[in-house]
Amino acid sequence: MSKGIQPVRGMNDILPEDSPYWQAVEDTARAVFEEYGYQEIRMPIVERTELFVRSIGEVTDVVEKEMYTFEDRSGDSLTLRPEGTASCVRAGMSHGLFHNQIQRLWYQGPMFRHERPQKGRYRQFHQLGVEAYGLEGPDIDAEMLMLTARLWRRLGLDSVRLKLNSLGNPEARRAYREKLVSYFSEFRDRLDEDSRRRLESNPLRILDSKNPDLAEIIADAPSILDHLDEESRQHFDKLRRLLDAQGIEYEVDPRLVRGLDYYSRTVFEWTTDRLGAQDAVCSGGRYDFLVSQLGGRHVPAVGWALGMERLIALLALGDEAPRRDSRPHAYLAMMGEEAEQLGWRLAESLRDELPGLRLTVHCGGGSFKSQLKKADRSGAELALILGETEIRQGRVGIKPLRSGEEQFEVDQAKLADLLRERLD
Ligand code: ATP
Ligand code: MG
């Protein structure tokens, strides 16, 4: 049989058997965000291309080679968002959310990057992210990390580790950048093509190279932590003290730089060693200069985003991945026109009386045997049975599908009570 039109490479369907795992993460994250006072913001998926060029940075992998950019019918250059922060900043500026206000925001949704698809790396992927605006100090950085640590705990995840670094302020980084250029220039012939190119355009990115041949050179490179400005140093030290006091473990990693150019001061990544090369599950940091860079006033900001696909893959490796139970509580099987009439009435009144009851009503007729097979396959706890005998007696047959109990009967008038009791 023809499978019809092929999906786009690197873009996945999330099938009904998988969506309960996504929902569990989304539900848990939403609850934790709300508990910390973060509010949801929803941005469009498409933005003007210049937004990403000016925020993420012209000489980043994302802007150089990963964006889905196209001209729309009016000739405007638009881009499918490769990440959420730039859009969030744009939205905040568009609506004056940053005027003398503190904002704690969260978002979720699909992001698009034209990367080489492989396990944990897709062209459409999904992020959940948080952003806070208007707060300069390390307290909010710490809050964000506590929030993530709590999210992991709620999800039963214990295989992620926090890496922490500071990139200093832009001047300090410029000075450090010079140091790096002169250091790496000495090893020019040993660098790979990518890194040689980065030497001119974006030398900090060399530190992030995954090429094992460069590991040694990178390990001996000057450390950014020796080049921080005084304020950034204090910020970093205070953040570390706050995390220490909360018992949040981390490893300081002076090689941790981020793929997007807008970061300053604190940067971090939660990584795992259980997903192979795609080891970053959640990453973020401070971007105090992005709003002003985009033409706004000075608005300090910090945020992170997690990759849903990677987080879910990681949870799936555990014993019991969190999963929203969306299987029906009950499946109503019925035979004959009279039974159907009564059945639908009964089903609707159960839904009135028991909001949240997941009840599948059999459609399409067929024998009781085939209906009960479908009931079983639906995952329902109980089959409710309405045939001629049951109607005559004003009763409903109840067949427990999971517990091995015998089938029994109950008065139609008592069905709601029975379900309430059994399914709580
Ligand atoms: P990587 O180093 O793996 O490319 P990144 O630094 O590009 O990640 P960010 O831009 O910080 O990632 O995005 C935040 C999170 O989104 C990452 O930690 C990761 O979990 C996820 N992510 C990024 N790109 C992809 C992708 N192409 N497919 C799936 N998840 C992704
Ligand atoms: Mg990347």
Side-chain angles (χ1 to χ4, degrees):
M1 194 171 74
S2 157
K3 285 191 167 172
I5 297 173
Q6 293 301 298
V8 178
R9 190 164 127 81
M11 306 207 177
N12 301 311
D13 300 301
I14 298 159
L15 299 176
E17 65 192 50
D18 295 323
S19 56
Y21 298 99
W22 286 67
Q23 290 164 344
V25 172
E26 289 159 0
D27 292 350
T28 308
R30 183 181 298 113
V32 173
F33 296 158
E34 283 173 359
E35 288 166 27
Y36 282 76
Y38 288 69
Q39 289 182 299
E40 186 180 8
I41 181 166
R42 302 189 186 195
M43 298 86 67
I45 286 169
V46 180
E47 297 276 357
R48 294 178 184 282
T49 302
E50 65 170 315
L51 171 66
F52 302 116
V53 176
R54 284 175 54 193
S55 55
I56 297 171
E58 220 149 340
V59 286
T60 54
D61 284 351
V62 173
V63 170
E64 276 184 340
K65 47 188 191 200
E66 296 173 1
M67 293 207 303
Y68 279 88
T69 296
F70 61 97
E71 228 176 64
D72 78 354
R73 290 173 193 276
S74 345
D76 293 325
S77 178
L78 304 182
T79 294
L80 300 186
R81 63 181 184 195
E83 57 112 42
T85 301
S87 307
C88 192
V89 166
R90 200 270 312 136
M93 291 174 72
S94 302
H95 301 283
L97 302 188
F98 303 146
H99 291 172
N100 303 317
Q101 290 176 65
I102 288 166
Q103 297 286 355
R104 285 178 169 86
L105 305 174
W106 70 271
Y107 62 84
Q108 67 170 329
M111 307 293 161
F112 303 84
R113 296 184 194 177
H114 197 273
E115 302 195 70
R116 191 169 69 77
Q118 53 198 292
K119 192 165 162 283
R121 195 174 291 287
Y122 308 101
R123 290 182 172 172
Q124 173 172 328
F125 61 100
H126 298 76
Q127 289 186 340
L128 259 171
V130 302
E131 315 282 359
Y133 298 94
L135 293 164
E136 196 97 49
D139 45 1
I140 185 72
D141 306 21
E143 175 181 281
M144 285 210 162
L145 292 167
M146 288 179 223
L147 185 160
T148 15
R150 182 172 302 278
L151 179 58
W152 309 145
R153 282 201 300 280
R154 283 274 167 94
L155 291 168
L157 188 66
D158 57 9
S159 54
V160 283
R161 302 279 165 267
L162 176 59
K163 285 186 190 167
L164 199 60
N165 193 19
S166 176
L167 300 178
N169 69 16
E171 286 105 89
R173 198 153 73 244
R174 261 193 296 279
Y176 173 66
R177 183 193 151 111
E178 310 263 289
K179 286 252 163 64
L180 264 192
V181 171
S182 68
Y183 171 82
F184 282 122
S185 296
E186 281 179 46
F187 301 98
R188 209 186 164 81
D189 354 320
R190 287 171 61 190
L191 296 183
D192 56 21
E193 199 191 312
D194 228 26
S195 302
R196 225 171 289 146
R197 204 161 45 86
R198 294 276 175 242
L199 195 51
E200 265 84 58
S201 60
N202 199 347
L204 264 73
R205 296 289 298 152
I206 303 176
L207 298 174
D208 195 36
S209 167
K210 307 211 157 98
N211 183 347
D213 299 341
L214 300 183
E216 209 179 308
I217 300 178
I218 290 172
D220 289 340
S223 162
I224 193 157
L225 293 176
D226 297 330
H227 296 83
L228 292 185
D229 52 291
E230 185 48 32
E231 259 184 281
S232 296
R233 156 142 320 283
Q234 282 178 18
H235 186 107
F236 194 52
D237 290 346
K238 174 91 187 285
L239 172 60
R240 295 185 54 175
R241 288 200 299 278
L242 284 166
L243 295 177
D244 292 341
Q246 295 301 322
I248 294 184
E249 286 176 33
Y250 56 85
E251 177 202 334
V252 173
D253 179 359
R255 318 278 167 237
L256 177 68
V257 290
R258 306 280 306 108
L260 317 169
D261 274 356
Y262 49 61
Y263 288 108
S264 55
R265 291 199 173 141
T266 314
V267 289
F268 52 84
E269 234 169 52
W270 292 89
T271 60
T272 176
D273 53 14
R274 303 184 69 188
L275 290 180
Q278 273 51 258
D279 63 351
V281 176
C282 170
S283 28
R286 218 164 232 290
Y287 50 100
D288 292 339
F289 303 95
L290 183 53
V291 179
S292 54
Q293 198 180 303
L294 291 173
R297 55 185 89 184
H298 177 72
V299 179
V302 55
W304 56 251
L306 65 80
M308 285 290 285
E309 283 80 358
R310 291 184 197 176
L311 176 57
I312 284 165
L314 190 55
L315 289 168
L317 297 175
D319 296 335
E320 213 177 322
R323 169 181 205 290
R324 185 200 267 177
D325 196 0
S326 51
R327 286 169 301 190
H329 294 116
Y331 188 106
L332 174 58
M334 49 207 186
M335 183 97 109
E337 183 150 349
E338 207 184 333
E340 281 179 13
Q341 299 244 355
L342 176 68
W344 283 107
R345 238 187 359 259
L346 204 58
E348 288 301 302
S349 73
L350 286 174
R351 290 179 173 122
D352 286 339
E353 242 182 290
L354 302 173
L357 173 73
R358 297 190 298 274
L359 172 63
T360 301
V361 176
H362 180 82
C363 287
S367 67
F368 265 130
K369 191 168 167 221
S370 80
Q371 293 192 32
L372 287 175
K373 220 187 238 164
K374 293 198 170 80
D376 190 42
R377 235 183 287 142
S378 75
E381 202 66 42
L382 301 175
L384 313 180
I385 299 170
L386 269 183
E388 274 169 32
T389 336
E390 285 82 7
I391 291 186
R392 232 183 302 114
Q393 300 169 345
R395 295 167 83 80
V396 185
I398 310 284
K399 185 174 165 64
L401 295 169
R402 314 285 146 207
S403 64
E405 291 161 85
E406 289 292 315
Q407 183 170 331
F408 60 97
E409 285 185 352
V410 66
D411 276 353
Q412 283 164 18
K414 300 226 172 86
L415 181 57
D417 286 340
L418 175 103
L419 292 177
R420 191 179 292 118
E421 236 166 73
R422 287 195 60 119
L423 302 173
D424 244 359

